[in-house]
Amino acid sequence: MKIGVFCSANQQIDAEYFELTRQLGAWMAAQGHTLVFGGCDMGLMECVARAVKEGGGYTIGIVPTLIERDGHVSDYVDTKILCDNLSDRKDLLLAQSDILVALPGGIGTLDEVFTVAAAHTIGYHRKRVVLYDMNGFWTKLIEALDDLQARGFIRGDYHDVIAVVHNLDEVATLCV
């Protein structure tokens, strides 16, 4: 399976997120899954790519030309797909992935999650986004989604589009 991963490119985050991300990458490699990611050499992006490669796995990096020009392409990218901007990057990440997993991240990660989820609800694809709620990272977002659901601002059940998991075993059950 080709698993797209959305996550932070920030180094200044709690070490627990790096360890859980490393475990995800090691698991992906052990299961023979391919990592599709933003191709950057920083933060959780670099961490998951390194873990996949160290486990003998394969990676596809979707790299905006600005990232390449700035010299921040991960050394752990096997196949590099260049794109013009972040919109192209999201489209290519979606096209290259069977499922998408959101690890802790910031504005860019939120943008990716909601772009994919909105396209799913309209019917452009049937791929799920998985919020990997590492140590409660996504709790406030989940509460906001639950509130939107309760108020009738989300058609249907958002869980059909955005799955919520709390550990690697739960991630594994969705990646079959």
Side-chain angles (χ1 to χ4, degrees):
M1 178 172 258
K2 290 164 66 176
I3 301 173
V5 173
F6 302 142
C7 60
S8 177
N10 190 348
Q11 292 294 121
Q12 308 306 318
I13 57 178
D14 197 305
E16 68 187 318
Y17 299 122
F18 284 97
E19 176 54 25
L20 292 168
T21 297
R22 185 201 62 74
Q23 290 173 18
L24 174 69
W27 170 82
M28 288 175 64
Q31 298 303 309
H33 297 305
T34 296
L35 168 66
V36 183
F37 76 117
C40 189
D41 69 349
M42 297 181 290
L44 298 182
M45 275 198 237
E46 180 77 344
C47 178
V48 71
R50 181 184 315 116
V52 168
K53 290 304 300 168
E54 287 176 352
Y58 192 81
T59 66
I60 299 170
I62 311 296
V63 182
T65 52
L66 182 64
I67 300 292
E68 183 177 55
R69 186 172 60 235
D70 289 346
H72 283 291
V73 178
S74 174
D75 290 335
Y76 302 106
V77 172
D78 290 310
T79 297
K80 178 171 58 174
I81 300 173
L82 291 175
C83 58
D84 292 329
N85 55 53
L86 295 179
S87 294
D88 292 344
R89 182 197 236 176
K90 289 183 291 189
D91 291 342
L92 289 164
L93 275 160
L94 177 60
Q96 289 289 322
S97 302
D98 299 311
I99 193 168
L100 299 116
V101 177
L103 307 182
I107 292 170
T109 302
L110 290 170
D111 176 46
E112 292 163 334
V113 166
F114 287 116
T115 296
V116 171
H120 182 153
T121 62
I122 294 170
Y124 285 107
H125 64 84
R126 304 304 310 156
K127 299 174 186 180
R128 291 179 88 184
V129 179
V130 178
L131 290 179
Y132 186 174
D133 190 30
M134 294 177 172
N135 295 330
F137 181 84
W138 294 117
T139 299
K140 297 292 186 185
L141 178 63
I142 295 162
E143 289 172 1
L145 288 169
D146 289 341
D147 184 56
L148 289 169
Q149 181 88 59
R151 293 171 182 249
F153 285 95
I154 298 176
R155 279 174 293 198
D157 183 353
Y158 80 84
H159 294 95
D160 295 336
V161 177
I162 301 173
V164 177
V165 301
H166 301 93
N167 57 58
L168 185 53
D169 290 337
E170 291 176 356
V171 172
T173 65
L174 297 175
C175 295
V176 292

